[in-house]
Amino acid sequence: AIADMFKVAGIVAAMVTISPLLCGITLLAAPGVYWLARFFGKHIYQAQLGVRRSVGEINTFLQETFAGVRTLKAFGQEEPIKDRFEGPLHGNLQALNHEAVYVAYFPCVMQLVRALTIAVVIWLGARLGFVDAGAIGLAGLTVGSLAAFADLIGRLFGPIESLAQEFQTIQRAM
């Protein structure tokens, strides 16, 4: 996590060196990234709690069943117990699917935000680069520097996504 924070700081420093204006525009996406990560983190955490509850129900059911297995066999109750076990299993499947939806959508949404940010910055950089560039802080902005800036944006989102993934791992462990 500390290494990722240093990466972010270095990337932002490089972005400021290329164009402070475009760096500011890029950093406007940061609150959106934060809120998206928070939204998904909260929902993933709730879904993981549901998975843990369903696993607990399965374990409780199994423990009670195994404790009374002789009695169940003596009265021929294997089929009703098997049918009752379908409920906890189905609940676990639903909880896992609910969690999987959020875990699957999170990287896709982050990629979309990354792509939109790159598109906006390139569009603005190209558009403003042909106007009076010196007056708005884009002096020396070339096609190569725009390409480098787009690459830096991609590199900026990598450590941020990595931090979010580490947070999800910590939530699972808790």
Side-chain angles (χ1 to χ4, degrees):
I2 292 171
D4 285 337
M5 286 187 233
F6 278 116
K7 286 179 189 175
V8 168
I11 291 168
V12 169
M15 292 170 111
V16 168
T17 303
I18 294 174
S19 172
L21 178 65
L22 291 181
C23 181
I25 292 169
T26 301
L27 293 179
L28 287 176
V33 170
Y34 169 77
W35 287 110
L36 281 171
R38 189 170 170 192
F39 171 81
F40 277 97
K42 178 179 136 187
H43 284 83
I44 288 170
Y45 178 71
Q46 293 297 325
Q48 288 170 346
L49 285 177
V51 169
R52 299 295 168 244
R53 278 189 217 106
S54 68
V55 168
E57 289 175 14
I58 289 172
N59 288 338
T60 300
F61 186 88
L62 288 174
Q63 177 63 30
E64 291 173 355
T65 302
F66 287 142
V69 74
R70 287 187 180 154
T71 307
L72 293 172
K73 284 190 158 278
F75 289 103
Q77 295 296 308
E78 294 93 344
E79 277 302 312
I81 290 298
K82 185 184 93 162
D83 293 341
R84 280 188 32 217
F85 190 51
E86 293 292 326
L89 285 178
H90 183 69
N92 182 256
L93 179 63
Q94 285 181 320
L96 286 169
N97 286 341
H98 182 70
E99 177 193 21
V101 167
Y102 287 108
V103 170
Y105 280 138
F106 179 67
C108 299
V109 170
M110 294 304 290
Q111 288 285 11
L112 180 64
V113 170
R114 178 189 304 195
L116 287 174
T117 303
I118 291 172
V120 166
V121 167
I122 288 178
W123 181 77
L124 284 174
R127 190 148 168 88
L128 297 174
F130 293 113
V131 184
D132 186 14
I136 56 175
L138 292 174
L141 192 62
T142 63
V143 172
S145 57
L146 268 177
F149 209 88
D151 183 55
L152 287 171
I153 292 171
R155 292 175 189 254
L156 177 69
F157 278 79
I160 293 172
E161 290 173 21
S162 176
L163 285 168
Q165 292 293 336
E166 288 171 20
F167 184 66
Q168 289 177 7
T169 301
I170 290 168
Q171 281 183 336
R172 272 196 186 135
M174 291 171 57

